[in-house]
Amino acid sequence: MKQPAEPRSVLETRLTHETHRRASALLAEAASSPSADPEALTHLRDFLVATLHHHHESEDHILWPLIEATAPGSSAPLVALGEEHGELERKLRVLAEAPVPAAEPRDALAEAARDVRDLVHRHLEHEEPVLFPALREHLTAEQWDEFSLQVVTTTPPVGALLMIGFVNEFATQQELDAMMSGLPATVLEMAPAMAAEAAKVLAAVRG
């Protein structure tokens, strides 16, 4: 029997979370690699800090209240994860301040990146089993579209390029088509060029 189509709310969140996993893992690995280009490494670090901060701010201040307004009491398990968001913000500040020297050692950067990676992976293991059902059960497609557009239009400039780059690496064409269908026309026009530039940055990070 054919499985029902995944709502775009779950699809976009799943792809975003997978990007956070991959970006944090890559930074932790590349920070200890002598072949990682320092400029590209800085770009990846700045992307991770900006996109995680923006993502959790959007959840805490927009998405959780939206879910709560639709189904009172349903957001309590998500709000309870706010302590992890706070811990992550503290670790992101340390990561943002870590120097990215042109050559090894990059010990401070590597340690801060590992701390962020470990917390991101652990936090998503806690959040997804609660969040995905809430998205399926309590948000309409129209509510998600409005929220998603607000997130896209307020994403920091440093966040857009590598988000497209990472998603292009692991998403299926069907997933990409579904995700792109919700983007503004101006973003869609720039997406191919952004994907090409992101591929160069990620290649330089990987050495």
Side-chain angles (χ1 to χ4, degrees):
M1 180 181 296
K2 186 177 180 180
Q3 294 295 318
E6 187 176 50
R8 197 155 63 85
S9 58
V10 175
L11 169 67
E12 291 185 5
T13 303
R14 178 169 57 77
L15 296 182
T16 298
H17 285 182
E18 182 61 20
T19 294
H20 296 165
R21 287 186 174 97
R22 289 172 180 252
S24 60
L26 177 58
L27 182 62
E29 178 182 357
S32 299
S33 171
S35 62
D37 176 77
E39 183 177 352
L41 200 57
T42 301
H43 194 152
L44 176 59
R45 187 272 306 275
D46 293 348
F47 159 76
L48 189 62
V49 170
T51 196
L52 285 172
H53 175 74
H54 180 255
H55 180 74
H56 293 135
E57 285 282 299
S58 299
E59 287 182 335
D60 289 338
H61 300 300
I62 305 174
L63 186 56
W64 297 173
L66 180 60
I67 292 173
E68 180 66 20
T70 304
S74 62
S75 72
L78 295 167
V79 173
L81 293 172
E83 184 175 336
E84 291 183 353
H85 283 186
E87 183 183 358
L88 182 57
E89 286 299 322
R90 292 189 290 274
K91 292 185 182 299
L92 287 174
R93 284 195 291 271
V94 175
L95 179 60
E97 294 169 1
V100 188
E104 291 190 297
R106 300 186 181 114
D107 296 341
L109 178 68
E111 181 179 359
R114 287 193 297 268
D115 285 346
V116 168
R117 175 201 62 195
D118 294 346
L119 181 53
V120 165
H121 284 236
R122 185 169 69 250
H123 173 67
L124 293 178
E125 289 177 1
H126 297 160
E127 183 179 88
E128 289 177 343
V130 181
L131 176 56
F132 289 167
L135 294 176
R136 293 188 185 99
E137 297 167 14
H138 303 313
L139 285 192
T140 65
E142 291 75 16
Q143 287 174 314
W144 178 261
D145 287 348
E146 183 176 349
F147 167 75
S148 180
L149 181 60
Q150 186 171 357
V151 170
V152 169
T153 55
T154 57
T155 293
V158 71
L161 183 73
L162 290 186
M163 178 64 75
I164 290 177
F166 274 108
V167 171
N168 273 349
E169 288 189 340
F170 67 84
T172 67
Q173 189 60 53
Q174 184 177 8
E175 289 172 335
L176 286 172
D177 291 343
M179 189 172 189
M180 293 296 183
S181 69
L183 295 179
T186 52
V187 177
L188 288 174
E189 292 172 1
M190 296 186 295
M194 293 171 70
E197 182 61 27
K200 294 178 183 178
V201 173
L202 293 176
V205 169
R206 292 170 174 136

